[in-house]
Amino acid sequence: MLNLPLMQNNITRHDLDTLIDFLSEDDPKLTQSSNVQTFEEEWSDWLGVKYSVYVNSGASANLITMAVLKHLYGGGEVIVPPLTWVSDIASVIHNGFEPVFVDINPRNLCMDDQQVIAKLSDKTATVFITHVQGFNGLTDRLLEALEERGIPLIEDVCESHGAMFRGKKLGSFGLMSNFSFYYAHHMSTIEGGMVCTNDERNYETLRMLRSHGMAREASNGTVTKKYIAENPHLSPDFIFAYPGYNVRNTEIGAVIGRNQLKRLDEHNEKRKKNFLLFLDNLDPNQYRTDFDLDGSCNYAFNLVLKEADPDFRNKVEKAMNKAEVEFRRGSSGGGNQMRQPYLKGVVKDKEWEMYPEVEHIHFFGYYIGNYPDLKREKILRLCESLNSAGD
Ligand SMILES: Cc1ncc(COP(=O)(O)O)c(C=O)c1O
């Protein structure tokens, strides 16, 4: 029995003790306050951006990012992958954009850059890339094409904290970027997310949208004063500049997040080694092992069957169940989003079949947990059990 859950010990005894110390203070303030502010500053330093806005989930990060895009930059098409999390596409739809899909590159599970470039048009509002499960989806060619056309990039890095491109962390390239701190990811604040940007106007708008749309939530007094001057008939404390959401997080999450951030890099190094060991010991005749690992930083072991063979798939699932290895078929988001009921009417029937690489992951791709304290022995036994699944 391997007994391998998707995630383990991601909030440690030390995190909890740090939180207990905070809670033992005299009358600690628990709603968004100084720890949130400091966590945002520390996160911005770690990532290499100017501004970060801490929210209550990665899905909320997606939602307010798309809302900023709509309010400040206008509508149009958003190029998204069918292999992503539901909230990436839901946030596009909620904000009145039209999703345009492209297939993935099987070597990094992210959108194929040439297919993205082929779909750029005057209607493209943004390219909303998902760096899937620790892989980098950026290329020079893609960044150059976007720059040439003046089309902004939004990065979803919810599954790829610490992954790099050109020696810089993912999430520092786009106009805005999104992170998740849900328990299953590289680090956790129980629930939580972050929106990051170098643009001051985006930052102020994100802050207002994170609250109930309130003008006084802008960090820059000039922005608030402008709203007060323009709205003399309103109480200065209650000016709702945008139809906001209230997706704030709490001091509790920020205290845990600050403690977690101190060990994120060290943990990521261990995860990278684990993933290499996993791929080195997996049978390349049965499973894909030729992933593009350049800059990658993975919290999951990607298990993708080489052939579209349903019998073998059933045997692999049986072997994992028997060994008590938790897994997710279809990778993190459950595979091809275009097949999901929520997209009925948005996506034409059977249109999903035009994305064969995503379809392969949908039916024959999995992810298994990869965490820092996973023992070498266990990874080798996992590979043995997968390699012999078809026997
Ligand atoms: C790519 C991606 N985006 C967004 C999210 C949403 O994050 P959360 O679960 O924190 O809402 C996830 C969640 O797993 C994700 O994988």
Side-chain angles (χ1 to χ4, degrees):
M1 218 56 76
L2 278 159
N3 185 19
L4 215 144
L6 280 185
M7 185 53 71
Q8 208 167 41
N9 209 20
N10 208 14
I11 294 180
T12 62
R13 187 68 252 164
H14 190 261
D15 293 330
L16 297 175
D17 288 342
T18 307
L19 180 61
I20 290 168
D21 285 347
F22 167 71
L23 294 172
S24 308
E25 286 171 14
D26 191 24
D27 194 18
K29 188 168 177 190
L30 300 182
T31 53
Q32 179 183 293
S33 187
S34 60
N35 274 291
V36 168
Q37 178 76 31
T38 311
F39 180 35
E40 290 171 343
E41 287 160 14
E42 289 169 353
W43 183 263
S44 295
D45 283 349
W46 175 84
L47 184 61
V49 295
K50 282 193 193 154
Y51 310 108
S52 294
V53 177
Y54 184 44
V55 290
N56 59 5
S57 73
S60 299
N62 295 155
L63 183 67
I64 64 171
T65 297
M66 285 298 128
V68 168
L69 206 70
K70 172 182 67 182
H71 290 300
L72 302 188
Y73 299 84
E77 294 178 352
V78 175
I79 299 183
V80 276
L83 186 72
T84 182
W85 192 251
V86 53
S87 54
D88 289 62
I89 300 166
S91 61
V92 166
I93 296 168
H94 285 318
N95 284 290
F97 293 104
E98 192 186 330
V100 171
F101 296 96
V102 298
D103 207 351
I104 55 163
N105 173 346
R107 295 201 56 219
N108 61 22
L109 309 184
C110 305
M111 283 191 286
D112 180 286
D113 65 339
Q114 280 182 295
Q115 292 187 43
V116 174
I117 293 168
K119 288 211 172 157
L120 296 176
S121 78
D122 293 344
K123 290 194 237 153
T124 312
T126 190
V127 171
F128 191 8
I129 197 168
T130 300
H131 298 294
V132 177
Q133 294 196 333
F135 294 115
N136 161 49
L138 297 179
T139 62
D140 286 323
R141 192 164 49 190
L142 176 64
L143 292 181
E144 278 159 24
L146 294 179
E147 203 176 319
E148 248 169 50
R149 288 174 168 260
I151 295 173
L153 169 77
I154 308 285
E155 294 178 88
D156 184 323
V157 202
C158 288
E159 303 179 0
S160 301
H161 314 48
M164 317 270 277
F165 176 61
R166 290 186 193 150
K168 271 177 61 181
K169 289 197 180 87
L170 300 184
S172 63
F173 289 86
L175 178 68
M176 287 175 274
S177 63
N178 300 159
F179 289 83
S180 163
F181 304 126
Y182 180 63
Y183 185 74
H185 294 166
H186 294 72
M187 63 172 262
S188 177
T189 64
I190 312 174
E191 295 274 3
M194 200 71 95
V195 186
C196 308
T197 185
N198 282 315
D199 182 283
E200 192 180 354
R201 195 164 71 116
N202 292 348
Y203 172 59
E204 299 299 358
T205 312
L206 286 164
R207 286 180 62 102
M208 289 186 268
L209 283 165
R210 168 180 61 182
S211 74
H212 301 86
M214 276 183 168
R216 67 174 147 96
E217 288 279 336
S219 76
N220 181 335
T222 320
V223 174
T224 313
K225 275 189 201 132
K226 182 177 155 282
Y227 280 104
I228 294 172
E230 284 171 3
N231 297 279
H233 48 294
L234 295 177
S235 161
D237 281 335
F238 294 109
I239 300 176
F240 301 102
Y242 290 98
Y245 300 97
N246 185 11
V247 290
R248 289 178 304 226
N249 210 316
T250 67
E251 290 289 277
I252 292 176
V255 167
I256 297 176
R258 293 184 60 199
N259 209 47
Q260 291 246 337
L261 185 53
K262 290 181 196 149
R263 59 169 192 269
L264 178 61
D265 289 337
E266 185 196 326
H267 275 191
N268 282 349
E269 285 312 309
K270 290 182 182 166
R271 286 189 158 104
K272 283 185 211 168
K273 281 194 191 131
N274 289 348
F275 191 42
L276 278 180
L277 185 68
F278 175 75
L279 290 179
D280 279 351
N281 285 280
L282 208 56
D283 179 359
N285 296 316
Q286 303 187 69
Y287 303 101
R288 290 186 187 165
T289 56
D290 61 343
F291 294 108
D292 178 2
L293 299 178
D294 203 14
S296 72
C297 180
N298 206 304
Y299 71 85
F301 293 147
N302 290 99
L303 184 73
V304 182
L305 273 54
K306 219 164 173 186
E307 307 297 335
D309 176 349
D311 286 341
F312 181 50
R313 180 187 76 185
N314 294 344
K315 286 179 181 165
V316 171
E317 288 195 7
K318 208 168 155 193
M320 288 196 282
N321 282 326
K322 193 166 162 230
E324 293 193 358
V325 173
E326 199 178 357
F327 59 86
R328 290 285 183 270
R329 190 166 83 206
S331 212
S332 75
N336 196 340
Q337 289 288 319
M338 297 173 79
R339 288 177 168 270
Q340 295 288 350
Y342 79 94
L343 282 179
K344 269 211 173 93
V346 176
V347 169
K348 283 192 225 100
D349 198 31
K350 302 265 166 71
E351 198 188 327
W352 47 80
E353 288 174 357
M354 289 159 65
Y355 302 81
E357 296 298 345
V358 176
E359 283 287 275
H360 186 81
I361 302 295
H362 185 90
F363 292 106
F364 304 103
Y366 298 86
Y367 100 83
I368 300 170
N370 166 15
Y371 24 92
D373 54 6
L374 200 51
K375 295 277 173 293
R376 182 185 163 84
E377 206 33 53
K378 224 174 191 182
I379 299 172
L380 295 179
R381 278 174 51 213
L382 170 67
C383 292
E384 257 171 50
S385 135
L386 293 168
N387 292 343
S388 60
D391 295 352

